[in-house]
Every structure is written in structure tokens, then in C-alpha cells.
Amino acid sequence: MVRALNFDEQEQRKKKVLQFLVHEYVRTGKPVASKSIAQSSRLGLSPASIRHVLFELERDEIVMHPHTSAGRVPTDKGYRMYVDSLIDLQRLAVQEETRIRSEYDRRIREIEDVLTHTSRILSSISHYTGFVMTPKFERNILSHLELIPIGERRVLVAMITESGLSKNFVINTQLNLSRERLYSIAKIMIASLKGLTLQEAQLKLVQSIESAEQEYREISSLAKEIGQEIRKFSDSELYMDGASNILSLPDFTNTTELHDLFRIMEEKQLLTNILTDEFSDAPANAEPKKQSKKKEHLPSTRAQATPHVHVRIGAEHPVKELQNLSLITTTYKLSDQTVGVLGILGPKRMEYSKMIALVDYISQMVNQFLEKHDSK
Amino acid sequence: MVRALNFDEQEQRKKKVLQFLVHEYVRTGKPVASKSIAQSSRLGLSPASIRHVLFELERDEIVMHPHTSAGRVPTDKGYRMYVDSLIDLQRLAVQEETRIRSEYDRRIREIEDVLTHTSRILSSISHYTGFVMTPKFERNILSHLELIPIGERRVLVAMITESGLSKNFVINTQLNLSRERLYSIAKIMIASLKGLTLQEAQLKLVQSIESAEQEYREISSLAKEIGQEIRKFSDSELYMDGASNILSLPDFTNTTELHDLFRIMEEKQLLTNILTDEFSDAPANAEPKKQSKKKEHLPSTRAQATPHVHVRIGAEHPVKELQNLSLITTTYKLSDQTVGVLGILGPKRMEYSKMIALVDYISQMVNQFLEKHDSK
DNA sequence: TTTTAGCACTCATATTAATTGAGTGCTAAA
DNA sequence: TTTAGCACTCAATTAATATGAGTGCTAAAA
């Protein structure tokens, strides 16, 4: 006769089974049988007992059956449970950390390179798709504005933000303005625009047209042109690398799935939108209220120990094309302000522990790098 | 008794058979049988006779057998023969021409947009991958140089080329230079650099360091920085669109092939090199000697009626990953100088006639567009 | 009450065999 | 030179069979 199990012990057992099952499935890619759990885990139970536990997990939709005579596979909900409370967070292998660190210390010199390199490193270590998104430029704060005549009726506009990014474009003007005149116009403009985000600046430029006084005709014409151009640059930039890694995954045999996937990678706009959502969910400066309001129907996306890393599993994100994938993201900062999102996109069946560690570590590196090169 | 065929008549018959075979194969994607050629072509011959002709074509490696009991399929050599002398060049459908033209007339406003839009149009009409490559920036001729102080020891360098492209970057300086000082330095620099290609300019900047006289210390330090930066921008830029179209092609079932292919698209550098080769083969200003020297082992790459469009079929290009694809390219010009390459990348089994027409037409559009917006 | 051994049942997967038919190559007659 | 006729080949399809991994259930053991 065996003493009765209390509720907690039952739950504990379920969790251990799930944990082992996820590990095993991630390792092998094949549905996991009761027998293999009984043998390899240290529960000291027979396959039949394990089957009983599995039955309950299946009833709760935490694992599933591909077909009658197959083992079990975790569902999205199962992965979620694993990530939320069963994962044993690990650090990256020392050699990997060293490798990454040396990339940032030695290879990357310029602030312009950090984005492309980061997505490359992410993809090369994860073997999935790595990406880095810069914030919408329009959220940046303007700090310099220069107008330089180049040739007939053409003016080069150079804008520099506080974070050190620069954007430039050429506009056509109606009048032929001298270098000196342009300089003083720029001075007037920057006086009223400095410290504004680009978005605000754009608004102001457009408004200034309407309230333009006679003497500022010239300025207003220029302002209009510049205001229009800013829109063009308002898109976020998305760097991606390793998209082809997805192709070699055994998880994707279905061709139409693949096609969907690549369409996404080409339509960067779509992924940008998705990431922008992650961005706005960033804990940094968001009031908790708004956040909980928006997300209340979604399960928690926080792993215990690394609160900054978001994990979205399969159908948890609403975009159809991503429902067989998992998205691991985090934000990065510049002088305490969140300025972008980075992460990886891979199959649901991935080593979450390692990938979370990777994304976390890389974001630290990026933060440090930006800190060091901050020009302010 | 039937009269003997002379040599010419035999050749003529071979060609007709090949032509029909290519059409049919491109249309259906299945190996073409002697019977279907006999029935549908207007040669009035029996399958047996056709088989005789096919036997000879096979001996010459113009067609091949996937296996004993299958019909024939053109080889690379067969496609080459078709493209060189059997193709009946057609124009695009009127509605397609109209659509394209209206894109260039209405949708594309800025010279910066023309490249992305062009690759998009190419891919959307061909259903393959469209691309546009800008020339190496370093070949461009410098026309303006501006140095603008932004913050402490940071200088924005703006370079404008004769073709109207602008490149900008920020450099760090040792000294704090005033706006006026920078302006006069820029004046000195541009005086000696104007009219040079960027490559030459870079060289000159580096040299000037060595010969630097005492009074020009400041300049030489700046020149060094600028010279180094120019290297970074010397890469050609490559715009690509529709890579995912390739996935939906029935021609690619093999996964490893696909993987290779996408690696190429990611490693833009590789494709850039390939296209740079096409670029340097451009007939525009190349002395015939050099060209024939380089290409003498390769078959002619000219279709009769559109001498500017290059066609590379399968193994004709040396890059392994492209050996199951065909590359159709042409160059585009600005004020009579070839400045870039554009085209499509698709399966060997494609409608060459239409694709050649497409690439040709698009390049005309681009030429016209650039002409119209030329600022010189 | 919990665990487990035992066994029947299911169903994906692999293997083998048999069939089909499209298309060829060859030959001999027209 | 052309073609009808025919044997032959071989990919592709279909069917039949076997295998076995893994489950669900039950009844006995702990």
C-alpha cells in the first residue's frame, strides 16, 4: 500500500514530466514516449504511471498526440509553462561569451556597424534568424540641422539627433539661396526645433507654413520640403541576418509554410510592426496600467530571472505566418532610454534557455557599446 | 523514294525541333516526347523521324534524357542556342508596358526611390527575383565636399558626386575646429579633389598625409580620417526583391539547392561580384580587345535584336550556387555613362523572350528617368 | 489509493511486389 | 529518307503486407 499523494506532489510530478519531455523533444525532435521518460528521468516510475500523468497533461492541453501510436509533443501552452516556470536559465558557454565580447571589443568600431554586426552575431550563434530594429527615427530628438547649397537650387539637409544618428537628404528649392542665407535660415529653424522629436519637428514645420509671415517666405518653402522629407525617414530600420538558416531546419518541410515565412522576411514592414509592438511593451518607461490593459488576455511573457527578455511562442502572436515560430526579443538602451529591439526568430522547438541567455547577453553588449560611444 | 536532304535543310529541321521543344518544355515543365513534337509542330513528320532528329541533337548535347523512357529536355547548350538564334523576340504586352510606364511617371518621385522600385517592378512582373545594382561609389566623380562641425570634435562630412548621389558620415577629429576653419579646409580639399573619382580622391588624400607641410597639419589629420571612411562606402549597393518568388517555383524541390540559393541572396557580396563582372563586360565604353580576351572561352552572350541584354544560362556562370538558374542583365546609363546593372534571376526554364523584353524595357525606363532627373 | 504488469488495439512507416504506360531504340519495309 | 512496328526500359503508381512503437484499459499487486 502506498500513501496518498497530495495535490502539490501531483503538480510537482506533472511539472517534472513536462520538463523532461520538453528537453527530450527539443533534443531529438521526435515525439517522446512514456517509456523513455520512465527510463531516463529520475522519477522512479513505470511507463504506465507516466502514461497516467501524460493523460492528465494532455487533458489540460499541455502536451499532445500527433497520432494514436506516437509519443507526446508539447503544445504552445506547454512550451509557455516550460518557459515561465520550468526552465533552468543558464549562461552562455564561456567560449561563446568570449567570442561575442571580442566581436564588440575589437571588430566593431563604428556606431554604424553595430546593428548589422549584431544581427549577424545573433544569427550565427543561434543558427536561426537574428534581427535588430532601430527605433523610429521620428522619435529621436533633433540636435543639429544644417543646410548646405549644392549646385543650382539644390540644398543638402543634414539632421543629427542626440543619439548621434545622422540623416541627410537633398531637396530642391524654388529660390537660389546663398550659403550665408541658408546658414542663418538653419539657425532660425534649429532654434525653434531643437529638443523636439523629429515627429514634433515635422508637425511644427508644417504648421509654420500656415502662420508664415511675409518675411519668412523663403523659410516656409524650405520648411515644407523638409517636413515632407522627414516622413520618408520615419520608418524604422530593420537589420536581419540568417534567414536562410531557417531553410535547413528539419522543422520546416512544408513548402507553403516556408513561402509564407520568406514573404515575411521580405516584407520587412510586417516584421517591423510586430517588433514595434514588442517595443512599446518594453517595461522601461511604460506605465504598468496601459500595459496590463493591452495584454490582459495574453499569458505572461516574462521568464523569471531575465525580466527583460520577451518570449512569444507560436500562436501567441497574432500574425498567421509566425504561428509555427517563436520570437525571442529584448530591448536595448542608450542613456537610459529604450531605443530599439533585437532578438531572434526560430522554430518553436528551440533551446529556450540558451536562446534567452544569448539575447540577453547580446543586448548587454549592445548597451555597453552604445554607452561607450555615446557622444552626448 | 524521297529526295535527299541537303545539309542546310537538316540544320533547319534541327532548329525547328529545338525551338518547339524549348517552347513546350518552358510551357509544361515536363520532358517533351517525340510524339508531341510530331503532332503539334508543323513539320509533317512522324514521331519516328523526330526521334531521329532528337537523337542527333542529343549527340550534340543540345538536348538530354532524364531517363530512358522519358522525353527530351534542353541542356544549357540547348537553351543557349535557342536564345542566340531561335528566339522570336517579342515586346511586352501593352498593358504591362503601360503599367510599368505609369509607375515611373507617377509613383516614383525621387531619385532615391528609383532603385528599390525598379527591383520591385522587375520581380513583380517576372515573378522571379529582380535586382538593381548601383555602381561602385568609388567610381563616381566628386563634385562637392562639405565639412560641418557637430558637437565636440565631431565633423559631418558630406560628399556629393556629379551624378547627384550624396554620401555622408561623421568623423572624430583631434582638434576642435571652427565652422569657418572647416569651411576653408573643405575649400582647399575640394580644389584638389574635384573632378577625381572617389577612388582617386581617396588615394590623393592618403598621399597628402605624407607630403604634409607643417601648416597643413590639421588638414592632413582630417584627410586621413576621410580617406579611411571612403573605403567603407566603396561597396556597390544591391537592391533585391522577390527572392521568395523562387520558393514557389516547381523547379526547386531539392532543399539543399534552395539553401544554397538563399545563402547567395543573403551574401549580397557574392551576387555583387557576379554583377560587377557583367558590368565590366558592358559594351558601352569597353575596348573590344579586352573584352574578347576575357570571354573567348565563353559562348556569345548576345541575343540578336537587343544587343544590350546579357543572358547567362546555368553553368555558364562559374558560381556553383547559380548553376540551376539563369541570369538576365543589362546596364543602365546616366548622361551616356554606364552607371549600374539591373536584371532578374530565375530558373533556367523561363520565358526568355518575355524576360529579355522586360529587362530591356525597364532599363529604358530607368535611363529616361535618370535623364530627366539629372542635375548636372 | 496508487502503481504496474499485461495485453489488445491503432496507426505511421517501411518493404516488397505487381502493374502500368509513356517513351525510346532499332529494324525492316515503304 | 521516312515510317510502321515492336521489344525493351524504367519511373511512377498502386496494392499488399509486415513491423513495431506507443497507447489505453483493466485487473492485480503494493
Side-chain angles (χ1 to χ4, degrees):
Chain A
M1 178 101 173
V2 187
R3 77 176 176 79
L5 291 181
N6 64 31
F7 182 75
D8 262 11
E9 283 168 325
Q10 272 194 32
E11 284 303 300
Q12 213 52 40
R13 179 176 291 178
K14 276 190 193 176
K15 285 184 173 178
K16 284 207 171 147
V17 168
L18 176 61
Q19 184 174 44
F20 184 83
L21 187 141
V22 170
H23 276 145
E24 200 60 13
Y25 182 61
V26 165
R27 197 172 62 83
T28 66
K30 296 189 200 313
V32 184
S34 57
K35 198 171 139 194
S36 84
I37 298 179
Q39 280 175 354
S40 317
S41 75
R42 305 241 182 84
L43 290 168
L45 293 173
S46 75
S49 307
I50 299 292
R51 278 206 288 279
H52 187 63
V53 179
L54 287 173
F55 177 80
E56 293 183 352
L57 287 175
E58 187 164 5
R59 192 198 49 205
D60 299 342
E61 298 188 317
I62 289 167
V63 299
M64 62 162 285
H65 250 171
H67 58 84
T68 354
S69 67
R72 301 312 207 285
V73 162
T75 62
D76 288 5
K77 198 174 162 189
Y79 278 125
R80 164 59 51 201
M81 200 166 172
Y82 172 81
V83 168
D84 276 354
S85 52
L86 301 174
I87 204 169
D88 45 340
L89 289 165
Q90 53 182 54
R91 283 183 60 186
L92 287 177
V94 177
Q95 95 196 60
E96 283 173 330
E97 289 200 354
T98 324
R99 188 185 141 201
I100 294 173
R101 186 175 289 280
S102 85
E103 285 278 333
Y104 283 93
D105 287 352
R106 301 213 188 95
R107 301 283 299 276
I108 310 183
R109 294 246 157 273
E110 301 299 324
I111 207 162
E112 278 80 14
D113 297 340
V114 75
L115 301 173
T116 50
H117 274 75
T118 297
S119 63
R120 174 149 296 211
I121 295 170
L122 277 167
S123 97
S124 112
I125 295 200
S126 68
H127 298 119
Y128 303 136
T129 300
F131 54 82
V132 182
M133 189 182 73
T134 65
K136 295 214 174 205
F137 192 63
E138 64 190 20
R139 290 195 190 187
N140 276 331
I141 292 166
L142 197 63
S143 88
H144 279 269
L145 176 72
E146 295 282 346
L147 303 175
I148 301 141
I150 51 166
E152 297 260 312
R153 296 189 188 173
R154 283 163 62 92
V155 173
L156 174 69
V157 181
M159 298 189 308
I160 290 127
T161 69
E162 287 197 348
S163 49
L165 291 170
S166 81
K167 288 280 176 181
N168 315 270
F169 46 87
V170 175
I171 57 174
N172 298 308
T173 59
Q174 272 126 42
L175 300 161
N176 240 337
L177 297 166
S178 74
R179 171 174 294 270
E180 292 70 30
R181 185 77 187 111
L182 280 172
Y183 181 50
S184 56
I185 292 176
K187 241 181 173 171
I188 295 171
M189 279 188 176
I190 195 66
S192 72
L193 298 178
K194 192 167 187 172
L196 301 181
T197 66
L198 289 190
Q199 200 165 27
E200 293 162 345
Q202 197 228 333
L203 212 66
K204 196 150 188 177
L205 283 170
V206 174
Q207 285 172 346
S208 79
I209 296 173
E210 284 154 20
S211 70
E213 298 159 44
Q214 207 65 349
E215 51 184 325
Y216 288 130
R217 249 320 134 65
E218 299 168 355
I219 300 187
S220 110
S221 143
L222 274 178
K224 188 178 158 196
E225 287 275 358
I226 295 175
Q228 279 171 352
E229 279 295 321
I230 290 182
R231 297 220 155 197
K232 293 239 173 103
F233 290 113
S234 67
D235 284 340
S236 315
E237 278 186 274
L238 182 63
Y239 297 81
M240 221 178 344
D241 197 90
S244 67
N245 287 345
I246 300 268
L247 274 171
S248 51
L249 296 178
D251 305 63
F252 299 94
T253 45
N254 187 339
T255 321
T256 60
E257 250 177 33
L258 268 181
H259 192 252
D260 273 5
L261 184 55
F262 275 90
R263 228 177 35 72
I264 274 214
M265 309 220 163
E266 233 168 18
E267 288 292 335
K268 289 190 171 180
Q269 194 51 50
L270 189 48
L271 196 50
T272 302
N273 292 342
I274 295 165
L275 294 176
T276 305
D277 285 352
E278 300 289 326
F279 182 82
S280 35
D281 291 350
N285 299 324
E287 343 65 289
K289 243 186 201 168
K290 189 180 166 193
Q291 190 181 353
S292 69
K293 199 172 171 188
K294 195 173 171 190
K295 290 290 161 194
E296 60 192 350
H297 61 291
L298 283 178
S300 153
T301 58
R302 304 281 158 70
Q304 320 132 295
T306 55
H308 308 306
V309 177
H310 283 220
V311 181
R312 279 262 197 286
I313 297 156
E316 285 177 12
H317 26 111
V319 178
K320 193 178 57 199
E321 285 90 341
L322 295 183
Q323 304 210 338
N324 283 303
L325 298 167
S326 281
L327 191 63
I328 300 189
T329 58
T330 194
T331 55
Y332 58 93
K333 297 177 180 192
L334 179 62
S335 36
D336 281 335
Q337 223 204 335
T338 305
V339 292
V341 182
L342 60 82
I344 59 179
L345 185 63
K348 286 196 291 197
R349 181 174 80 79
M350 65 159 73
E351 284 183 76
Y352 286 95
S353 174
K354 182 176 170 184
M355 294 305 142
I356 290 172
L358 171 65
V359 168
D360 192 39
Y361 191 75
I362 295 268
S363 83
Q364 287 174 36
M365 289 296 108
V366 173
N367 284 340
Q368 283 174 25
F369 185 91
L370 292 180
E371 195 75 34
K372 213 167 67 185
H373 289 71
D374 189 6
S375 60
K376 215 171 47 179
Chain B
M1 180 102 175
V2 187
R3 76 177 177 78
L5 291 180
N6 64 31
F7 181 76
D8 262 12
E9 282 167 327
Q10 273 195 30
E11 284 304 300
Q12 212 52 39
R13 178 175 291 179
K14 277 189 191 175
K15 286 184 172 180
K16 285 205 169 148
V17 169
L18 176 61
Q19 185 174 43
F20 184 84
L21 188 142
V22 170
H23 275 144
E24 199 61 12
Y25 182 63
V26 165
R27 197 171 63 83
T28 65
K30 297 190 199 315
V32 184
S34 58
K35 198 171 139 194
S36 84
I37 298 179
Q39 279 175 355
S40 317
S41 75
R42 306 243 181 82
L43 289 167
L45 292 174
S46 74
S49 308
I50 298 292
R51 279 205 288 280
H52 187 63
V53 179
L54 286 174
F55 177 81
E56 293 184 349
L57 287 174
E58 188 164 5
R59 193 199 48 207
D60 298 343
E61 299 188 317
I62 289 167
V63 299
M64 62 162 285
H65 250 172
H67 58 83
T68 353
S69 67
R72 298 321 205 280
V73 161
T75 62
D76 288 5
K77 197 173 162 190
Y79 278 123
R80 165 56 54 201
M81 200 165 169
Y82 172 79
V83 168
D84 277 353
S85 51
L86 301 175
I87 204 169
D88 45 341
L89 289 164
Q90 54 183 52
R91 282 183 61 185
L92 288 177
V94 176
Q95 94 194 60
E96 284 173 330
E97 289 200 354
T98 324
R99 187 184 142 200
I100 294 173
R101 185 174 289 277
S102 86
E103 286 279 333
Y104 283 93
D105 286 352
R106 303 214 186 94
R107 301 284 299 277
I108 310 181
R109 293 245 159 275
E110 302 300 323
I111 208 164
E112 279 80 14
D113 298 340
V114 75
L115 300 173
T116 51
H117 274 75
T118 297
S119 63
R120 175 148 297 211
I121 296 170
L122 277 167
S123 98
S124 113
I125 294 201
S126 69
H127 299 117
Y128 303 136
T129 299
F131 54 81
V132 182
M133 190 181 74
T134 64
K136 295 217 174 201
F137 192 63
E138 63 192 19
R139 290 192 189 186
N140 275 332
I141 292 167
L142 196 63
S143 86
H144 278 268
L145 176 72
E146 295 282 344
L147 303 174
I148 300 139
I150 50 167
E152 297 260 311
R153 297 189 189 173
R154 284 163 61 91
V155 173
L156 174 69
V157 182
M159 298 189 310
I160 290 125
T161 68
E162 286 198 348
S163 49
L165 291 169
S166 81
K167 288 280 177 182
N168 314 269
F169 46 85
V170 175
I171 58 174
N172 299 308
T173 58
Q174 273 127 39
L175 299 162
N176 241 336
L177 296 167
S178 74
R179 171 175 294 271
E180 291 70 30
R181 184 78 186 108
L182 280 173
Y183 181 52
S184 57
I185 291 176
K187 242 182 171 169
I188 295 171
M189 278 188 177
I190 195 65
S192 73
L193 298 178
K194 192 167 185 170
L196 299 181
T197 67
L198 290 190
Q199 199 164 28
E200 293 163 346
Q202 197 229 334
L203 212 68
K204 196 148 186 178
L205 285 169
V206 173
Q207 284 173 347
S208 78
I209 297 173
E210 286 153 19
S211 70
E213 295 160 44
Q214 207 67 346
E215 50 183 328
Y216 288 131
R217 250 318 135 66
E218 301 169 351
I219 300 187
S220 110
S221 143
L222 275 178
K224 188 178 158 196
E225 288 275 357
I226 296 175
Q228 278 170 353
E229 279 296 320
I230 291 182
R231 296 217 156 197
K232 292 239 174 104
F233 290 112
S234 66
D235 285 340
S236 315
E237 278 186 274
L238 183 62
Y239 297 81
M240 219 177 346
D241 198 90
S244 67
N245 287 345
I246 301 267
L247 274 171
S248 50
L249 296 178
D251 305 63
F252 298 95
T253 45
N254 187 340
T255 321
T256 60
E257 248 176 35
L258 267 181
H259 193 251
D260 274 4
L261 184 55
F262 275 91
R263 228 179 36 70
I264 275 214
M265 308 220 165
E266 236 169 15
E267 289 290 335
K268 289 190 171 181
Q269 195 52 51
L270 189 48
L271 195 49
T272 302
N273 292 343
I274 295 165
L275 294 177
T276 306
D277 284 353
E278 300 289 325
F279 181 82
S280 35
D281 290 352
N285 299 323
E287 340 68 287
K289 243 186 200 169
K290 189 180 167 194
Q291 188 183 354
S292 70
K293 200 173 175 187
K294 195 171 173 192
K295 291 289 163 194
E296 60 191 348
H297 60 293
L298 285 178
S300 154
T301 58
R302 305 282 159 71
Q304 321 131 296
T306 55
H308 308 305
V309 178
H310 282 220
V311 180
R312 279 263 197 285
I313 297 156
E316 285 177 12
H317 28 111
V319 178
K320 194 178 57 199
E321 285 90 341
L322 294 184
Q323 304 209 338
N324 283 301
L325 299 167
S326 282
L327 190 62
I328 300 190
T329 58
T330 193
T331 55
Y332 59 92
K333 298 178 179 190
L334 179 63
S335 36
D336 281 336
Q337 221 204 336
T338 306
V339 292
V341 182
L342 61 82
I344 60 179
L345 185 62
K348 286 195 290 196
R349 181 173 80 79
M350 66 159 72
E351 284 183 75
Y352 287 94
S353 173
K354 181 177 170 182
M355 295 305 143
I356 290 172
L358 172 65
V359 168
D360 191 39
Y361 191 74
I362 295 269
S363 83
Q364 285 174 35
M365 289 296 108
V366 173
N367 284 340
Q368 282 173 26
F369 185 91
L370 292 179
E371 193 74 33
K372 212 166 69 186
H373 290 71
D374 190 5
S375 61
K376 214 170 49 176

